Amino acid sequence: MTETAKPGESGGATPQQGYVKVCALDEVPADGALGVEVDDTPVVIARSGDEVYALNDICSHAEVSLSEGEIYNGTIECWLHGSCFDLRSGKPTNPPATQPVATYKVKVESGDVYVSLGDD
């Protein structure tokens, strides 16, 4: 399931300027992932333990959705060819991918997940 969020559609104030509400935390499976869109950008929201991460949802190797992959050992695995990406940095940890995927700022407040695509 892919959720779509745009600025002004968050249903309330965001924690900081530039953040968009993308989903409720309980929509993201424990040690799993959920695909969402922020301003037409595909984003994967990933949970690993108590941490929540946001990365670009498109594998840099095969251009398929990372949100359909598995989360383990601080990485998300692309389901198609098995490349893994570090949840913190977006860098590939094994081939065939050689290029990182973008990472985004994420905040959890009052049970909701917010993402900022900006650099500020």
Side-chain angles (χ1 to χ4, degrees):
M1 172 173 90
T2 299
E3 303 282 330
T4 301
K6 302 215 184 263
E9 294 181 358
S10 65
T14 58
Q16 290 183 359
Q17 192 68 11
Y19 282 82
V20 176
K21 178 181 166 185
V22 295
C23 64
L25 181 59
D26 62 7
E27 292 179 64
V28 186
D31 294 313
L34 175 70
V36 300
E37 277 192 18
V38 178
D39 294 336
D40 298 322
T41 299
V43 176
V44 56
I45 306 300
R47 284 176 75 175
S48 179
D50 293 333
E51 299 295 320
V52 179
Y53 304 91
L55 300 91
N56 189 283
D57 193 21
I58 305 301
C59 177
S60 63
H61 169 255
E63 296 187 14
V64 297
S65 178
L66 291 174
S67 59
E68 297 177 31
E70 300 291 322
I71 304 291
Y72 62 91
N73 294 332
T75 65
I76 187 165
E77 181 182 32
C78 178
W79 61 270
L80 188 58
H81 296 119
S83 289
C84 292
F85 297 88
D86 184 278
L87 293 173
R88 286 184 172 83
S89 68
K91 292 179 181 177
T93 61
N94 63 302
T98 59
Q99 297 299 310
V101 294
T103 59
Y104 307 113
K105 294 180 183 178
V106 63
K107 292 193 178 286
V108 178
E109 260 191 25
S110 303
D112 292 319
V113 178
Y114 296 84
V115 171
S116 173
L117 299 182
D119 294 330
D120 2 298

